């Protein structure tokens, strides 16, 4: 477990804005100024990841504490949204998001999360000289409050789904950070927060979903437990994905525009969840009509004469 925060440990309170990331880095650098430079550099890197996560996913004041004792550096990042559990990411090498918790796992000597009634604190420690105890890990889960509905995703394509999820996360995350550049709250900011919250719920449900084996290679059937009253938020997510996709197409985001097959996978997923929450039966991915742009063109008939050498 983490060492308890000493009563006089330096503390920095920050608003939920992108600018808070650089402020947190400066604060940690100053608080750990007597630690080795490599420890300070690693602490700055990891605190920037955790504060970014708090800004994007909690949308509350962020509190950072940092101190060093007995050759160990300690950093705590707290937000006021304990109900927003952590969801581990399993993204590919080329994914542009989802690396924060993974970086903490790889670089920190010890790490974990404390969830209280009003506060959630993600912490890490950097030890030198002695081996740290085993990390307790993240150990949190996202649960739905109130009535739930089981949504069945039949023949979901695994690799395509993972690509769609990564791109969905990247679009929403960058769109929100861009929108937060405006210091005054706007309806767009609120809609993007709602979309990210809804996307977070879907990711958590997918991670926890029982899966049926199918004889069709990369196709999987999953059973998701979702909040019965999530339809309005899902429609906001759908609308914000359209907004973010248009921003990407116009070059206003660094994230590339979505490919047709990825867009079709995202749309099928959202359509299935919304329709089943409304009481409709599931429709398998393999029997869903795809938009024309998402269907690969038929190959041209092979012409043996194309192999003949051209006359010289």
């Amino acid at each position: 477990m983490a060492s308890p925060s000493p009563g006089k440990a330096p503390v920095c309170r920050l608003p939920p804005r992108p600018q808070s990331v650089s402020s947190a880095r400066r604060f940690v650098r100053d608080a750990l100024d007597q630690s080795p430079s490599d420890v300070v550099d690693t602490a700055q890197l990891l605190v920037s990841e955790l504060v970014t996560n708090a800004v994007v996913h909690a949308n509350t004041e962020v509190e950072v504490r940092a101190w060093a004792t007995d050759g160990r550096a300690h950093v705590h990042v707290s937000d006021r949204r304990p109900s927003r559990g952590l969801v581990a990411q399993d993204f590919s090498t080329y994914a542009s998001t989802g690396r924060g918790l993974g970086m903490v796992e790889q670089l920190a000597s010890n790490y974990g999360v404390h969830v209280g009634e009003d506060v959630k604190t993600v912490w890490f420690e950097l030890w030198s000289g002695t081996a740290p105890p085993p990390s307790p890990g993240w150990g949190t889960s996202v649960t739905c409050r109130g009535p739930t509905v089981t949504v069945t995703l039949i023949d979901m394509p695994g690799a395509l789904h993972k690509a769609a999820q990564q791109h969905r996360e990247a679009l929403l995350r960058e769109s929100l950070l861009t929108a937060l550049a405006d210091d005054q709250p706007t309806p767009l900011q609120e809609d993007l927060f709602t979309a990210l919250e809804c996307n977070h719920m879907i990711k958590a449900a997918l991670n926890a979903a029982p899966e049926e084996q199918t004889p069709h290679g990369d196709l999987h059937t999953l059973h998701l437990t979702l909040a019965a009253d999530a339809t309005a938020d899902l429609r906001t997510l759908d609308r914000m994905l359209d907004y973010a996709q248009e921003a990407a197409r116009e070059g206003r985001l660094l994230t590339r525009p979505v490919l047709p097959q990825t867009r079709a996978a995202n749309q099928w997923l959202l359509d299935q969840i919304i329709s089943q929450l409304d009481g409709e039966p599931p429709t398998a991915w393999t029997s869903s009509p795809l938009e024309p742009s998402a269907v690969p063109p038929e190959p041209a008939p092979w012409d043996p004469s194309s192999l003949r050498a051209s006359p010289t």
Side-chain angles (χ1 to χ4, degrees), residues 195-207:
L196 268 164
E197 173 80 9
C198 190
N199 190 57
H200 186 82
M201 174 191 69
I202 293 173
K203 289 191 299 181
L206 285 166
N207 285 354

Side-chain angles (χ1 to χ4, degrees), residues 23-69:
S23 299
R25 289 174 63 91
R26 289 192 296 270
F27 167 76
V28 166
R29 182 190 62 207
D30 293 341
L32 303 178
D33 63 342
Q34 299 301 312
S35 299
S37 60
D38 61 329
V39 170
V40 176
D41 291 343
T42 301
Q44 286 186 282
L45 172 63
L46 297 184
V47 79
S48 66
E49 294 293 331
L50 296 184
V51 170
T52 299
N53 282 347
V55 168
V56 170
H57 296 297
N59 191 26
T60 70
E61 180 185 71
V62 181
E63 183 178 280
V64 181
R65 291 182 182 270
W67 71 98
T69 180

Side-chain angles (χ1 to χ4, degrees), residues 98-292:
R99 303 186 184 281
L101 297 183
M103 291 175 66
V104 174
E105 292 172 2
Q106 293 179 23
L107 299 178
S109 303
N110 205 5
Y111 62 89
V113 58
H114 296 153
V115 180
E117 185 175 340
D118 301 314
V119 177
K120 175 173 79 266
T121 299
V122 182
W123 58 267
F124 66 85
E125 300 172 348
L126 300 171
W127 291 39
S128 59
T130 58
S135 171
W138 304 121
T140 64
S141 60
V142 179
T143 57
C144 297
R145 298 181 178 181
T148 61
V149 171
T150 297
V151 171
T152 302
L153 302 176
I154 302 175
D155 290 348
M156 187 179 76
L160 181 58
H161 157 70
K162 182 172 288 189
Q165 180 171 299
Q166 291 173 8
H167 195 269
R168 195 166 67 236
E169 176 81 9
L171 278 177
L172 293 171
R173 186 183 183 94
E174 188 180 358
S175 296
L176 177 60
L177 290 173
T178 301
L180 287 174
D182 187 346
D183 287 336
Q184 298 300 318
T186 66
L188 176 61
Q189 290 177 10
E190 292 303 314
D191 283 347
L192 285 168
F193 272 119
T194 298
L196 268 164
E197 173 80 9
C198 190
N199 190 57
H200 186 82
M201 174 191 69
I202 293 173
K203 289 191 299 181
L206 285 166
N207 285 354
E211 180 177 331
E212 294 179 8
Q213 296 294 329
T214 70
H216 306 300
D218 191 43
L219 300 179
H220 310 271
T221 294
L222 289 85
H223 304 280
L224 279 61
T225 300
L226 296 169
D229 60 354
T231 300
D233 289 347
L234 285 159
R235 296 192 187 281
T236 299
L237 171 58
D238 195 10
R239 183 162 47 85
M240 288 298 98
L241 283 172
D242 286 342
Y243 163 81
Q245 166 64 11
E246 186 63 25
R249 191 162 34 236
E250 293 175 354
R252 292 185 280 123
L253 301 178
L254 295 176
T255 304
R256 299 286 294 172
V258 69
L259 295 174
Q261 275 283 72
T262 306
R263 185 184 183 98
N266 272 330
Q267 197 61 58
W268 173 80
L269 174 68
L270 292 179
D271 288 347
Q272 283 302 295
I273 295 175
I274 291 172
S275 65
Q276 291 184 49
L277 289 183
D278 289 341
E280 298 294 326
T283 300
W285 164 262
T286 48
S287 62
S288 298
L290 300 181
E291 56 187 81

